[in-house]
């Protein structure tokens, strides 16, 4: 469950290439020599996908083939590229196949909201790829490796499941307690019967002796 | 056709047929004779009306039977259509039309059979022989049974159709990430929901979706064009990319997740309730134990008091002993007096 890269692009509704506004990539799990080429690959694919994502729509593209490099270290990349275009501002995420789609899209939503909050409308005037780093994106990349962070629904579901497990254990222990209480009731009723017999016996002792 | 002649055997039973017809005619006339003088003028009319009734009844029964037969034929066609399921060639419209037609037929036949039954019942006042009435009731029952079996088959075919649809849906979901050309209808229906947020209306979605699938083929040569500017992209030719419209499935998955959460919370609620019931029951048990222990305590204290009294009486018994010894000594004195 890994996020490899998150990008924000500005899409023109006409056919020109989208402009990258923010980029955060984590290529550390590739070999050292492929990192730069993978970064370029990410940039290119995100541009292409953003161009093909119509405004107001979400899309996912799945790579399934082999990426053959000169150094054939990586022979296959399974990527899902999720893109969400909202009014010309497009957020793209490169994740592997295990990352749940819904969390991916909620993450993209969050990214777009954050971007609009921090940069307002200034992105509309951007003409060239911005090279500045947006720190939010970097920490988002590390924070959201676990999909539960990004998707509140997933988090809630997970917590509810844990609660359910705990409740099941509680009910089991309550049932055991019930059994113990039942045995206690038995014993205490036996005890009270025995004590009653004891009392009667003692009384009879007194009465019988009074003749003497 | 008052009597059906058995044709499977080779015997010539025409004579029997003629005699039975004579007898029937006589019995009809005798039946109407028994009805008394009040119907004397209507006797010939009775005979005629009886015969007319009978032929009317037979006509309607034969019509109903024909209708049932046709309906069962249409039903077999429907069953064949519903069984012939393939993901791409889905004859939904025909199946729906045929279903509607068959339903109408079945309801019409139902009402016709009910009418027939009423008709048959209303005729029994006409003073016909019991054979005719039993024959007509048998015919009506047979028609009803056939209609029932037809309706049952219809229901079976419908259930089979829904199961097939479900299988389709599953298969479609399996394949929808790889092939996006299957029935665009559900996507089109749900598009407007998904794009309600954006300014671009629902109208854009359908052509864009179509463009999306068309663009997936264009993407290929496009990539090749762009790839020449960067050396590593020459090897992209071997990648397969699939564009998947996910807008509606995203919404669907959100809806599903929410429903899951809601049902989980509901289950948790029931679990808490059960927990509360168990604990309250156990509270009762605890109270009982407490009462038992109190009883035991009381008993033991009483017993302790009794034993103390016993101890006291034992320890203060010497007075009684002295009295007893006095009595004994008195007796000894008596004995001594008597002996000595």
């Amino acid at each position: 469950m890994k996020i490899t890269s998150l990008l924000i692009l500005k899409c023109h509704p006409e056919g020109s290439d989208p402009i990258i506004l923010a980029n955060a990539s984590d290529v550390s799990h590739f070999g050292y020599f492929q990192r730069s080429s993978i970064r370029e690959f990410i940039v290119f694919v995100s541009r292409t996908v953003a161009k093909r994502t119509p405004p107001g729509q979400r899309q996912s593209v799945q790579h399934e083939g082999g990426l053959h490099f000169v150094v054939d270290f990586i022979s296959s990349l399974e990527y899902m590229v999720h893109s969400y275009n909202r009014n010309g501002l497009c957020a793209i995420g490169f994740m592997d196949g295990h990352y749940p789609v819904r969390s991916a899209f909620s993450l993209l939503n969050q990214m777009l909201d954050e971007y609009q909050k921090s940069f307002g409308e200034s992105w509309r005037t951007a003409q060239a790829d911005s090279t500045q780093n947006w720190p939010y994106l970097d920490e988002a990349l590390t924070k959201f490796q676990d999909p539960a962070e990004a998707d509140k629904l997933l988090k809630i579901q997970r917590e509810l499941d844990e609660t359910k497990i705990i409740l099941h254990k509680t009910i089991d222990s309550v049932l055991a307690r019930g059994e113990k209480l039942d045995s206690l009731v038995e014993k205490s009723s036996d005890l009270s019967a025995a004590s009653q017999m004891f009392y009667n016996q003692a009384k009879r002792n007194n009465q019988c002796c009074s003749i003497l | 056709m008052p009597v059906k002649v058995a044709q499977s055997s080779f015997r010539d039973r025409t004579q029997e047929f003629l005699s039975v017809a004579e007898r029937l005619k006589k019995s009809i006339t005798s039946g109407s004779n028994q009805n008394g003088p009040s119907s004397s003028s209507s006797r010939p009319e009775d005979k005629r009306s009886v015969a007319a009734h009978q032929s009317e009844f037979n006509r309607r029964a034969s019509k109903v039977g024909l209708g049932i037969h046709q309906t069962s034929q249409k039903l077999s066609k429907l069953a064949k259509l519903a069984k012939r399921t393939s993901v791409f060639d889905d004859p939904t419209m025909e199946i729906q039309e045929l279903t509607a037609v068959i339903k109408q037929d079945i309801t019409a036949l139902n009402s016709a059979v009910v009418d027939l039954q009423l008709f048959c019942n209303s005729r029994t006042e006409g003073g016909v022989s019991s054979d005719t009435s039993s024959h007509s009731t048998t015919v009506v029952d047979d028609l009803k049974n056939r209609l029932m079996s037809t309706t049952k088959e219809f229901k079976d075919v419908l259930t089979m159709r829904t199961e097939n649809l479900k299988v389709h849906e599953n298969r479609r979901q399996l394949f929808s990430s790889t092939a996006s050309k299957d029935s665009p209808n559900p996507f089109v229906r749900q598009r407007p929901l998904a794009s309600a947020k954006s300014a671009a209306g629902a109208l854009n979605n359908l052509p864009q979706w179509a463009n999306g699938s068309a663009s997936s083929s264009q993407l290929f040569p496009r990539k090749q064009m762009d790839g020449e500017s960067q050396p590593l992209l020459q090897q992209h030719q071997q990648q397969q990319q699939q564009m998947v419209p996910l807008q509606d499935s995203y919404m669907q998955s959100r809806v599903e997740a929410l429903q899951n959460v809601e049902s989980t919370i509901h289950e948790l609620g029931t679990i808490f309730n059960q927990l509360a019931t168990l604990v309250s029951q156990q509270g009762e048990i605890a109270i009982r134990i407490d009462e038992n222990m109190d009883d035991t305590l009381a008993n033991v204290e009483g017993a302790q008091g009794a034993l103390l009294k016993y101890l006291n009486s034992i320890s203060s018994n010497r007075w009684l002993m002295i009295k007893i010894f006095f009595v004994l000594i008195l007796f000894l004195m008596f004995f001594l007096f008597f002996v000595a």
Side-chain angles (χ1 to χ4, degrees):
Chain A
M1 300 242 238
K2 196 167 171 354
I3 308 184
T4 302
S5 161
L6 296 170
L7 295 106
I8 301 215
L9 298 96
K10 162 186 165 208
C11 295
H12 284 286
E14 315 85 42
S16 57
D17 271 345
I19 300 176
I20 297 186
L21 299 168
N23 182 348
S25 324
D26 173 26
V27 285
S28 49
H29 64 286
F30 294 113
Y32 181 71
F33 294 107
Q34 285 115 17
R35 283 183 199 172
S36 57
S37 40
I38 289 195
R39 274 201 210 98
E40 290 177 7
F41 161 71
I42 286 176
V43 162
F44 165 73
V45 169
S46 58
R47 261 198 247 267
T48 321
V49 172
K51 195 178 344 186
R52 299 203 173 266
T53 310
Q57 238 195 5
R58 299 177 170 89
Q59 243 180 19
S60 290
V61 180
Q62 189 171 25
H63 290 207
E64 261 186 23
L67 191 64
H68 298 276
F69 283 87
V70 176
V71 183
D72 223 357
F73 193 61
I74 306 169
S75 54
S76 81
L77 285 172
E78 284 184 8
Y79 272 130
M80 295 277 297
V81 184
H82 302 281
S83 79
Y84 175 39
N85 184 332
R86 184 160 78 178
N87 292 335
L89 193 62
C90 187
I92 295 197
F94 283 69
M95 287 109 180
D96 67 349
H98 301 297
Y99 204 87
V101 176
R102 210 186 54 246
S103 325
F105 281 119
S106 68
L107 171 58
L108 295 179
N109 252 330
Q110 274 181 358
M111 271 167 49
L112 284 178
D113 291 333
E114 268 299 319
Y115 191 81
Q116 292 208 302
K117 245 194 313 188
S118 45
F119 291 105
E121 293 295 312
S122 63
W123 58 271
R124 290 199 193 265
T125 56
Q127 294 302 325
D129 290 349
S130 96
T131 45
Q132 301 164 329
N133 235 358
W134 183 30
Y136 173 75
L137 216 55
D138 292 328
E139 38 177 87
L141 194 59
T142 48
K143 187 161 74 140
F144 292 130
Q145 293 291 337
D146 178 19
E149 292 292 318
D151 193 8
K152 295 243 169 35
L153 279 177
L154 213 59
K155 210 182 346 188
I156 292 176
Q157 183 70 30
R158 226 185 261 187
E159 284 178 8
L160 280 176
D161 290 334
E162 284 172 22
T163 312
K164 209 160 43 149
I165 291 179
I166 292 178
L167 272 181
H168 280 306
K169 279 196 223 154
T170 311
I171 287 202
D172 286 338
S173 52
V174 164
L175 284 173
R177 175 176 179 256
E179 276 178 40
K180 287 191 196 147
L181 276 177
D182 280 336
S183 75
L184 265 182
V185 145
E186 292 288 325
K187 288 191 192 148
S188 70
S189 63
D190 288 344
L191 192 59
S192 99
S195 72
Q196 191 154 30
M197 270 181 32
F198 174 44
Y199 177 51
N200 289 338
Q201 195 75 23
K203 255 201 308 189
R204 247 183 287 147
N205 259 348
N206 264 348
Q207 290 171 352
C208 146
C209 268
S210 60
I211 302 175
L212 277 175
Chain B
M1 38 177 185
V3 169
K4 287 194 167 70
V5 180
Q7 292 179 353
S8 51
S9 65
F10 242 38
R11 282 188 291 161
D12 184 15
R13 303 178 81 159
T14 335
Q15 293 305 317
E16 295 182 24
F17 170 64
L18 288 174
S19 59
V20 168
E22 293 281 333
R23 222 184 326 130
L24 265 179
K25 244 191 283 184
K26 259 186 262 170
S27 69
I28 285 176
T29 51
S30 66
S32 52
N33 271 338
Q34 279 164 18
N35 261 354
S38 59
S39 57
S40 57
S41 57
S42 54
R43 220 182 303 144
E45 289 164 12
D46 266 350
K47 247 203 294 188
R48 251 180 280 133
S49 69
V50 160
H53 263 263
Q54 184 69 5
S55 54
E56 170 75 26
F57 174 75
N58 288 333
R59 262 208 304 273
R60 291 165 86 163
S62 63
K63 251 196 290 186
V64 172
L66 187 66
I68 291 182
H69 181 62
Q70 284 174 347
T71 314
S72 54
Q73 273 180 340
K74 282 188 221 157
L75 194 61
S76 61
K77 242 193 296 179
L78 178 68
K80 236 193 311 177
L81 274 178
K83 248 187 274 189
R84 181 194 78 172
T85 55
S86 64
V87 184
F88 305 111
D89 187 17
D90 201 21
T92 326
M93 293 313 299
E94 299 172 22
I95 287 185
Q96 280 174 354
E97 283 173 20
L98 207 50
T99 320
V101 163
I102 289 182
K103 221 189 296 204
Q104 277 174 356
D105 282 344
I106 287 185
T107 36
L109 284 171
N110 218 0
S111 50
V113 164
V114 165
D115 283 340
L116 198 62
Q117 188 169 29
L118 281 174
F119 185 72
C120 151
N121 286 342
S122 71
R123 199 159 46 84
T124 49
E125 308 121 26
V128 288
S129 69
S130 58
D131 280 342
T132 327
S133 55
S134 67
H135 164 71
S136 32
T137 36
T138 324
V139 165
V140 168
D141 284 337
D142 178 48
L143 287 174
K144 260 198 283 189
N145 283 338
R146 269 199 265 168
L147 190 61
M148 230 181 344
S149 59
T150 320
T151 342
K152 224 187 314 170
E153 280 176 27
F154 185 49
K155 231 187 322 176
D156 289 338
V157 166
L158 283 179
T159 38
M160 192 180 44
R161 165 111 182 108
T162 41
E163 277 171 20
N164 278 331
L165 275 178
K166 253 188 277 179
V167 166
H168 273 352
E169 274 309 310
N170 287 344
R171 256 191 262 151
R172 212 170 275 145
Q173 274 179 12
L174 269 178
F175 292 143
S176 66
S177 62
T178 58
S180 54
K181 47 185 156 68
D182 300 332
S183 78
N185 298 334
F187 292 123
V188 168
R189 231 187 306 128
Q190 292 163 6
R191 274 302 154 76
L193 282 173
S195 64
K197 295 200 289 187
S198 62
L203 306 165
N204 291 339
N205 290 336
L206 184 50
Q208 282 161 357
W209 177 76
N211 282 343
S213 58
S215 66
S216 64
S217 50
Q218 292 174 5
L219 193 61
F220 217 68
R222 264 303 195 90
K223 268 183 127 23
Q224 288 183 344
M225 275 191 329
D226 288 333
E228 302 191 349
S229 57
Q230 307 183 15
L232 67 91
L233 298 168
Q234 288 171 4
Q235 288 95 12
H236 282 196
Q237 302 170 14
Q238 312 186 10
Q239 280 186 9
Q240 305 158 19
Q241 294 194 355
Q242 289 130 352
M243 298 281 223
V244 177
L246 277 185
Q247 185 84 337
D248 46 342
S249 61
Y250 172 62
M251 289 299 162
Q252 262 176 353
S253 61
R254 276 181 88 89
V255 163
E256 265 178 42
L258 276 174
Q259 281 172 346
N260 274 344
V261 166
E262 183 195 343
S263 63
T264 319
I265 293 183
H266 194 65
E267 282 171 21
L268 278 179
T270 41
I271 291 181
F272 271 116
N273 273 337
Q274 286 174 1
L275 191 62
T277 327
L278 279 174
V279 168
S280 69
Q281 281 173 356
Q282 288 178 359
E284 247 182 66
I285 295 181
I287 289 179
R288 255 198 290 163
I289 293 177
D290 187 36
E291 281 178 17
N292 277 342
M293 294 315 288
D294 285 339
D295 286 343
T296 309
L297 183 64
N299 281 337
V300 166
E301 279 186 358
Q304 188 201 24
L307 281 179
L308 268 178
K309 261 197 296 182
Y310 188 54
L311 174 67
N312 279 337
S313 64
I314 294 266
S315 58
S316 62
N317 233 359
R318 276 186 219 132
W319 290 109
L320 295 172
M321 283 302 185
I322 291 170
K323 285 183 200 155
I324 290 170
F325 274 135
F326 259 136
V327 172
L328 273 174
I329 288 168
L330 272 170
F331 268 120
L332 269 173
M333 300 298 267
F334 260 126
F335 269 126
L336 280 172
F337 268 130
F338 270 121
V339 167

